[in-house]
Amino acid sequence: MKRHSLAAMALFLCSGFSYGREPCVWQVARDPRLATDVQALRMAEQLLVRHASQDSPLASSRLREALRILERADAAHSPDPRVRFLYGRLLTRSERHEQALRVLSAAIDEAPDHPSVADALFSLAICHASLGRTQEEIAAYQRLLQRQWVPERRSIVQSNLAESLMFVGRIEEAIQTYREAIATDDGNILARWGLAVALDRAGDSMGAFEQVNEALVRDPLADELDNPLVFFVPAYDRFWYFALWAMSRAHGEHDALLRADHWQAAAQYWQRYIEAAPAEDRWVAVARVRRDQCVRSLGMVHRRAHPRKGTPR
């Protein structure tokens, strides 16, 4: 989950104004298009600053308008790296990932130490994730961690990196990186969910449910799992998170009917994961075990609620 987890992405993709110096009068004199580029940059940013973090038709309209402004200014070839960084970030938000990848890669290579490069690297990692280039995504996050020290942002990078490590089967590294994300920012709820999944896949069910319960203390309805800025790679991975949530609710429920509902929901989430996963999925065997556990638990609830005649309760 990104990542994934994407309110996470808002801190990067929806941040305010670009960092870096304005071109001086002598630079503008040498390259007059710099003045036009700065004007386009400011117009685009002013459109976004009030609406960029909102998931609404107005925000989408402002995003499209900002992109049009930058494209009319030929932002991809601007001599001002701030313009190319913003253009690449907005292409990422518009899910034009191949184009964003080209713009961001070139801009980062030309201005690797620019103050705005951290946001650009995050967007670059998201592009790689969306295009299934996990090794390149991991490299982008690792490069970003060398320059991102703001705790809340660093924690997001760490948890996204952990998700990518888990995706390629580096489960122990993923667990350690999730723990580092939580140590960096204890309020990173998505890192706790990710750690729960990683621990469950590593065979530590007790540790997994401890993390689920910690996440639910902070987010009782698990709203973060449905956050529109969060995405899952692969998409069917979301069923694992919701299955753990349903199992946690079943464990804590005293009413037999509600407990049965939660076990049934959990079994259905596991089944949906199993049906969506390809044959080479490294975790599908674990999902089958978990589904069967939920089916057995559901059966036990039913037998206790409706014992056979003469059977002690």
Side-chain angles (χ1 to χ4, degrees):
M1 173 179 50
K2 299 186 175 78
R3 243 184 138 139
H4 29 329
S5 224
L6 304 163
M9 273 178 45
L11 291 173
F12 289 83
L13 303 186
C14 305
S15 58
F17 292 95
S18 299
Y19 304 110
R21 297 179 185 175
E22 294 284 330
C24 71
V25 65
W26 302 112
Q27 290 172 313
V28 173
R30 286 194 300 270
D31 191 346
R33 78 161 282 179
L34 280 170
T36 304
D37 287 355
V38 169
Q39 183 181 21
L41 177 70
R42 293 306 176 215
M43 289 174 63
E45 289 178 328
Q46 287 166 10
L47 278 170
L48 296 167
V49 69
R50 290 187 178 180
H51 303 285
S53 62
Q54 299 177 16
D55 182 52
S56 68
L58 179 58
S60 298
S61 173
R62 294 296 174 92
L63 172 61
R64 290 192 297 271
E65 190 174 349
L67 273 170
R68 283 195 293 269
I69 290 170
L70 293 174
E71 285 168 349
R72 284 198 295 267
D74 189 24
H77 302 101
S78 173
D80 187 338
R82 298 173 305 161
V83 177
R84 282 180 289 162
F85 286 146
L86 179 61
Y87 182 46
R89 290 164 59 202
L90 298 188
L91 288 171
T92 305
R93 285 183 56 197
S94 300
E95 299 185 354
R96 293 160 61 180
H97 295 120
E98 289 281 6
Q99 188 179 357
L101 200 62
R102 291 192 296 271
V103 171
L104 290 167
S105 296
I108 291 168
D109 288 345
E110 291 179 28
D113 298 317
H114 192 276
S116 289
V117 79
D119 288 358
L121 282 167
F122 188 86
S123 295
L124 184 71
I126 296 302
C127 288
H128 284 308
S130 300
L131 294 169
R133 300 170 181 172
T134 310
Q135 296 300 338
E136 291 87 347
E137 177 194 5
I138 289 171
Y141 285 133
Q142 290 173 332
R143 185 175 175 185
L144 178 52
L145 285 173
Q146 296 174 14
R147 59 174 61 244
Q148 182 54 259
W149 299 102
V150 177
E152 188 175 12
R153 291 186 170 201
R154 184 174 178 82
S155 179
I156 290 168
V157 176
Q158 289 169 320
S159 58
N160 276 15
L161 172 59
E163 181 78 12
S164 303
L165 292 169
M166 179 163 59
F167 179 74
V168 297
R170 294 159 62 177
I171 195 70
E172 294 303 324
E173 290 178 74
I175 290 170
Q176 178 60 32
T177 307
Y178 276 127
R179 293 194 189 280
E180 291 170 1
I182 294 167
T184 301
D185 177 16
D186 188 58
N188 187 342
I189 297 171
L190 294 177
R192 292 192 178 277
W193 277 109
L195 178 57
V197 172
L199 289 170
D200 190 47
R201 289 172 173 174
D204 183 2
S205 296
M206 184 176 295
F209 285 113
E210 286 176 0
Q211 293 302 320
V212 171
N213 292 336
E214 285 288 338
L216 292 175
V217 167
R218 295 165 170 79
D219 182 23
L221 298 179
D223 290 330
E224 282 297 303
L225 297 183
D226 278 323
N227 191 312
L229 292 175
V230 170
F231 68 103
F232 296 79
V233 178
Y236 62 84
D237 218 32
R238 67 186 296 109
F239 299 131
W240 201 295
Y241 290 80
F242 283 105
L244 290 182
W245 179 34
M247 290 177 73
S248 176
R249 296 187 69 183
H251 284 304
E253 182 57 63
H254 298 293
D255 182 275
L257 291 177
L258 291 176
R259 190 162 64 252
D261 286 344
H262 294 320
W263 283 123
Q264 183 172 11
Q268 290 170 346
Y269 282 128
W270 289 122
Q271 184 61 32
R272 293 177 73 180
Y273 183 97
I274 293 163
E275 291 174 355
E280 65 271 16
D281 183 278
R282 68 182 73 248
W283 312 116
V284 72
V286 180
R288 291 193 182 97
V289 171
R290 297 287 181 267
R291 177 203 57 192
D292 294 346
Q293 289 173 341
C294 293
V295 170
R296 287 196 298 272
S297 295
L298 176 61
M300 289 176 62
V301 173
H302 284 157
R303 285 193 295 275
R304 289 173 180 171
H306 307 286
R308 295 178 181 177
K309 187 175 182 180
T311 302
R313 298 189 66 168

